[in-house]
């Protein structure tokens, strides 16, 4: 076994590798970019080397710098993680030329699977079923169109150098072929610098089922399958092992084919053979075809670990350090069922737009395996994949593992950025998915229902108001019963709108009301109770309050002085609470406003005070303009008499 390894990656996978290395007594060296100075993987490693700027091309993709870091720190081997340099044969050769060990397959093995057309030809020869189609060298338009017709529509055009779903086009009819070909080629040229394509039969009701393999350079074993059919735009969202509906016959056939694929290229280390499966008539031993092989550890490897009890990173380190395969095929067993959900900082209703932000609060459900590279306080930066964590559950049956996934998602707490948590929760609760009816089109078919952004309920608003007023935790001496007669107005902002909440507390009872609704809460020794149940947890960080019901609802708490200013109302007139500069005026005479709506901002002592409408009404007059200086008590805006409006 090695004494010391360097991990040429970041985020959750770097942390994941460090965990196992530590367990095996192997020292670790992390590398980091400017954006990752305080990152979790840097803190976890025994040593860390700065390798450059925040862009991957300035740091995590700089093979020479990384190799120099390994040499300078005395690391004997480099673990590439996934992504970045993990499938780069030139890097493998450079690592070996520097006298270091690459923890993964040989450069030749990576090369033979690097292009989909060559890989398919190779697999065909090795007796592995490949998707019917054309993967030849002749790339002329006429020939490709002709081949597409021979295969029969619909067909899929794929970039031979493709990955991540890029350069892929489904074509339903001959008339659409020429345009689709042109756009697939141009996307492939831009993304991969290689315009070549292959054509495949489009499998109806496709399922993505992949087999985990492990080789020692000569022999290989498989560790069963994973089903990764829950995809959006060809990206995996929830993965599971084993595949729902898998039969012994088909598992044996797929396992054999995957082992044949790995042995055909003298594969060493962990790899994944991806198959496309025709789900229309159930799973049959002759109904799967080779798509591609990923010559690295896969993002979704934990579900395989959960059902086999194997630590795949341990196996990687053992095989790379010269041990034989740690287990024979008949020693590898499958127990229970496992799910993984990928938690991302992304805006699902906006079309899965990647998001950024500081994680004001991050906590996972006790008992689930959460693989993460970030902690409370860390930043999701725009430079890297916005994955926050992988949430992994295991149970004796699929139903139990799925129930545990739903519970784990319910108890996941993220504040400070939008996430796909409610989308994951909706997927985990999807009827068809629960029945195991998965195919790659499931998400797209139900996207409307799955991507609804849940609105906070009245109870959530009430809790946020209590938290903003500092009433979540009893003081160490006072307790709550001393709050007889407490009454206060709180402003909250949610989704750009201001909510005015009034709080009244008497002993252990709280009443919180807004324009729309009144909520009654009761306090006992363990905290607030709402509708007879324990209220959801709340995190307060800076000016952000997050109520963890559903997928979490974030509220901004405007400056406390702005809260006061809402009360600076005399009759129908909203006054300036202090002397200052009018920064903004949002309304004009004659305009209708609703309670809580922003009227104007006054800046004083470098702080902004937002004046809001004390009630619904119509603006009678606006007495100030932007840039004006006002005195304390100066009239800013007058509303028409309530009867008049
Ligand atoms: P597949 O390639 O079949 O989609 P995965 O879902 O495991 O397999 O990974 C998606 C792609 O994105 C892979 O090429 C992987 O290496 C890359 N990738 C995923 N997450 C990250 C990350 N956090 N950093 C860098 N690369 C990543
Ligand atoms: P990438 O390298 O981008 O991961 P893949 O060849 O692995 O490309 O395909 C990605 C996804 O596209 C698959 O997981 C599957 O959902 C879909 N797909 C690929 N080939 C086919 C096919 N022949 N028929 C139907 N769907 C397919
Ligand atoms: Mg793939």
């Amino acid at each position: 076994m090695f004494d010391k390894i360097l991990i040429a990656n970041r985020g959750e996978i770097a942390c994941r590798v460090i965990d196992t290395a530590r367990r095996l007594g192997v020292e670790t060296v992390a590398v980091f970019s400017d954006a990752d100075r305080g990152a979790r993987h840097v803190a976890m490693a025994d040593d860390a080397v700065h390798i450059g700027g925040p862009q991957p091309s300035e740091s995590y993709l700089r093979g020479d710098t990384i190799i120099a870091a390994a040499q300078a720190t005395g690391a004997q081997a480099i673990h590439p993680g996934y992504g970045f340099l993990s499938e780069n044969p030139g890097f493998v050769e450079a690592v070996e030329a520097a006298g270091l060990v690459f923890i993964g397959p040989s450069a030749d093995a990576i090369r033979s699977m690097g292009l989909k057309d060559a890989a398919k030809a190779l697999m065909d020869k090795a007796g592995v079923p490949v998707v019917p189609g054309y993967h030849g060298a002749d790339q002329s338009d006429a020939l490709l169109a002709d081949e597409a017709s021979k295969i029969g529509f619909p067909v899929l055009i794929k970039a031979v150098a493709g990955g991540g779903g890029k350069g892929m086009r489904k074509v339903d009819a001959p008339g659409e072929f020429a345009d689709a070909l042109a756009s697939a080629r141009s996307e492939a040229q831009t993304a991969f610098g290689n315009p070549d394509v292959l054509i495949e039969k489009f499998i109806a009701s496709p399922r993505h089922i992949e087999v985990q393999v492990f080789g020692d350079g000569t022999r290989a074993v498989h560790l069963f399958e994973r089903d990764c059919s829950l995809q959006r735009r060809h990206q995996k969202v929830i993965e599971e092992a084993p595949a729902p509906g898998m039969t012994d016959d088909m598992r044996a056939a797929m396992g054999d084919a995957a082992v044949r694929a790995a042995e055909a290229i003298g594969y060493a280390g962990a790899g994944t053979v991806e198959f496309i499966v025709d789900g229309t008539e159930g799973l049959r031993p002759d109904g799967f075809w080779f798509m591609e092989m990923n010559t690295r550890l896969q993002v979704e490897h934990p579900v395989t670990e959960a059902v086999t009890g194997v630590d795949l990173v341990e196996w990687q380190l053992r095989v790379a350090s010269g041990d034989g395969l740690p287990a024979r095929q008949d020693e590898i067993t499958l127990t229970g069922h496992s799910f993984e959900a990928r938690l991302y900082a992304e805006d699902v209703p906006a079309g899965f737009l990647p998001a950024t932000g500081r994680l004001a609060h991050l906590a996972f459900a006790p008992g689930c395996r959460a693989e993460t590279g970030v902690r409370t306080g860390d930043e999701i930066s725009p430079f890297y994949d916005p994955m926050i964590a992988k949430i992994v559950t295991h149970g004796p049956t699929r139903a139990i593992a799925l129930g545990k996934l739903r519970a784990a998602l319910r108890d996941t707490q993220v504040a400070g950025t939008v996430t796909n948590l409610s989308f994951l929760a909706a997927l985990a609760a999807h009827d068809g998915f629960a029945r195991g009816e998965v195919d790659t089109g499931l998400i797209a078919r139900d996207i409307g229902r799955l991507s609804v952004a849940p609105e906070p309920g009245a109870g959530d608003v009430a809790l946020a108001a209590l938290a903003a007023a500092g009433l979540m935790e009893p003081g160490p001496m006072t307790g709550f019963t001393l709050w007889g007669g407490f009454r206060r107005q709180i402003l909250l902002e949610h989704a750009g709108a201001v909510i005015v909440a009034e709080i009244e507390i008497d002993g252990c009872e709280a009443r919180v009301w807004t324009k729309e609704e009144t909520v009654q809460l009761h306090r006992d020794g363990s905290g607030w109770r709402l509708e007879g149940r324990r209220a959801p947890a709340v995190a307060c960080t800076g000016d952000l309050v997050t109520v963890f019901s559903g997928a979490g609802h974030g509220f901004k708490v405007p400056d406390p002085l702005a809260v006061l200013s809402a009360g600076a109302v005399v009759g129908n007139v909203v006054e300036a609470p202090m002397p200052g500069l009018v920064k903004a005026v949002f309304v004009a005479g004659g305009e209708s406003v609703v309670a809580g709506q922003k009227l104007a901002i006054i800046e004083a002592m470098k702080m902004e005070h937002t004046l809001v409408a004390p009630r619904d009404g119509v603006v009678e007059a606006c007495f100030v303009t932007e840039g004006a200086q006002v005195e304390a008590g100066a009239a800013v805006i007058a509303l028409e008499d309530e009867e008049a409006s």
Side-chain angles (χ1 to χ4, degrees):
M1 182 47 66
F2 307 112
D3 300 315
K4 196 185 224 184
I5 63 169
L6 178 141
I7 297 121
N9 214 300
R10 63 178 303 285
E12 68 88 16
I13 192 61
C15 298
R16 162 75 190 86
V17 174
I18 293 170
D19 273 334
T20 289
R22 171 143 311 141
R23 196 171 56 70
L24 300 179
V26 177
E27 272 190 74
T28 53
V29 181
V31 292
F32 62 97
S33 71
D34 287 342
D36 280 337
R37 278 180 195 285
R40 180 165 186 261
H41 76 281
V42 175
M44 279 176 69
D46 296 300
D47 197 355
V49 181
H50 175 242
I51 51 168
Q55 297 291 347
S57 60
E58 302 166 340
S59 46
Y60 298 106
L61 288 174
R62 284 177 58 187
D64 49 349
T65 311
I66 290 171
I67 290 168
Q71 287 172 321
T73 52
Q76 299 145 322
I78 297 184
H79 193 300
Y82 53 71
F84 298 129
L85 295 166
S86 62
E87 292 179 281
N88 182 325
F91 179 65
V92 178
E93 282 162 351
V95 170
E96 286 167 356
L100 303 169
V101 175
F102 178 77
I103 302 174
S106 67
D108 283 347
I110 295 177
R111 260 192 208 105
S112 25
M113 290 296 177
L115 293 178
K116 290 185 205 285
D117 54 348
K120 282 183 76 176
L122 187 74
M123 289 300 102
D124 207 11
K125 231 176 79 197
V128 176
V130 302
V131 189
Y134 172 77
H135 47 261
D138 187 339
Q139 292 283 314
S140 74
D141 292 15
L143 180 96
L144 291 171
D146 194 38
E147 290 291 341
S149 296
K150 273 195 221 152
I151 295 163
F153 289 90
V155 299
L156 203 59
I157 304 175
K158 278 188 192 179
V160 300
K166 286 210 187 75
M168 209 177 326
R169 294 288 182 281
K170 181 181 173 216
V171 191
D172 293 311
E176 302 161 13
F177 187 80
D179 285 353
L181 176 62
S183 83
R185 270 185 182 146
S186 100
E187 191 170 301
Q189 177 63 41
T190 313
F192 314 110
N194 180 346
D196 289 357
V197 298
L198 57 81
I199 301 171
E200 276 181 5
K201 173 144 199 61
F202 184 81
I203 307 296
S205 188
R207 285 177 62 175
H208 174 123
I209 302 182
E210 57 186 33
V211 177
Q212 175 72 53
V213 292
F214 212 98
D216 64 4
T218 313
R219 303 297 310 277
V221 292
H222 72 84
L223 293 95
F224 312 110
E225 78 283 358
R226 295 184 286 258
D227 193 309
C228 310
S229 300
L230 285 200
Q231 302 183 350
R232 50 123 186 126
R233 296 195 196 132
H234 308 299
Q235 295 281 337
K236 299 159 186 171
V237 179
I238 294 183
E239 302 98 341
E240 61 182 304
M246 180 56 77
T247 63
D248 289 343
D249 281 358
M250 186 174 188
R251 175 172 293 134
M254 290 186 85
D256 281 352
V259 166
R260 236 179 355 255
E263 290 183 347
I265 57 168
Y267 197 78
T272 293
V273 184
E274 296 190 336
F275 296 100
I276 189 99
V277 169
D278 182 348
T280 42
E281 289 163 46
L283 300 182
R284 290 172 297 128
D286 61 348
F288 67 92
W289 300 276
F290 173 86
M291 265 194 312
E292 64 167 345
M293 179 167 182
N294 293 320
T295 50
R296 55 178 160 85
L297 194 65
Q298 198 98 339
V299 176
E300 58 274 19
H301 74 278
V303 293
T304 297
E305 296 186 323
V307 295
T308 59
V310 168
D311 178 332
L312 286 167
V313 176
E314 175 188 325
W315 279 28
Q316 286 187 300
L317 297 188
R318 285 170 63 180
V319 167
S321 69
D323 291 0
L325 279 174
R328 289 194 319 264
Q329 188 66 59
D330 61 8
E331 294 170 329
I332 303 169
T333 54
L334 196 157
T335 308
H337 205 100
S338 175
F339 285 93
E340 171 186 282
R342 301 188 188 193
L343 178 65
Y344 278 96
E346 66 183 8
D347 191 342
V348 175
F352 297 96
L353 217 59
T356 57
R358 187 169 294 282
L359 295 167
H361 175 86
L362 179 65
F364 300 103
C368 77
R369 174 174 171 186
E371 295 289 341
T372 184
V374 286
R375 304 148 297 190
T376 291
D378 286 349
E379 185 96 23
I380 302 292
S381 78
F383 302 109
Y384 314 110
D385 184 281
M387 188 157 77
I388 297 170
K390 306 184 305 201
I391 293 166
V392 185
T393 60
H394 180 252
T397 65
R398 185 173 189 270
I400 293 172
L402 185 56
K404 287 171 82 172
L405 180 68
R406 283 194 289 266
L409 292 170
R410 204 158 48 229
D411 290 343
T412 298
Q413 303 180 344
V414 195
T417 175
V418 296
T419 72
N420 65 344
L421 187 55
S422 71
F423 171 70
L424 293 176
L427 258 182
H430 187 280
D431 294 344
F433 179 44
R435 288 193 298 268
E437 296 164 4
V438 292
D439 72 87
T440 62
L442 181 145
I443 289 178
R445 278 195 303 274
D446 285 339
I447 189 67
R449 179 154 70 92
L450 293 169
S451 65
V452 177
E455 284 300 310
D460 302 321
V461 172
L463 281 165
L466 288 175
L471 300 175
M472 279 326 279
E473 300 301 328
M477 311 298 273
T478 56
F480 276 89
T481 46
L482 293 183
W483 289 338
F486 179 99
R487 188 171 170 162
R488 190 161 158 195
Q489 187 185 65
I490 293 285
L491 294 194
L492 298 168
E493 269 184 57
H494 179 79
V498 176
I499 302 165
V500 184
E502 305 274 349
I503 301 176
E504 202 172 63
I505 298 203
D506 193 6
C508 287
E509 304 304 318
R511 199 162 73 88
V512 183
W513 66 100
T514 62
K515 222 169 51 163
E516 284 89 19
E517 267 176 282
T518 300
V519 174
Q520 204 77 40
L521 295 101
H522 171 80
R523 176 99 202 175
D524 69 12
S526 66
W528 290 107
R529 298 183 69 81
L530 180 65
E531 286 160 359
R533 304 171 62 173
R534 178 191 291 177
V538 179
C540 300
T541 43
D543 64 353
L544 182 75
V545 173
T546 308
V547 180
F548 297 112
S549 73
H553 300 286
F555 298 85
K556 247 187 88 184
V557 185
D559 190 294
L561 287 173
V563 176
L564 282 180
S565 65
V569 179
V570 178
N572 290 331
V573 177
V574 180
E575 299 181 341
M578 67 271 300
L581 175 78
V582 179
K583 281 276 301 239
V585 179
F586 301 115
V587 293
E591 204 171 304
S592 295
V593 294
V594 295
Q597 185 174 335
K598 289 182 187 177
L599 301 176
I601 295 178
I602 297 189
E603 188 189 75
M605 295 171 290
K606 296 212 161 74
M607 288 171 72
E608 290 189 349
H609 307 278
T610 306
L611 303 186
V612 301
R615 58 169 169 84
D616 294 358
V618 174
V619 176
E620 183 173 74
C622 183
F623 304 111
V624 299
T625 51
E626 278 175 26
Q629 200 71 37
V630 291
E631 292 305 316
V636 176
I637 274 158
L639 298 180
E640 287 179 5
D641 283 340
E642 270 188 275
E643 304 79 74
S645 53

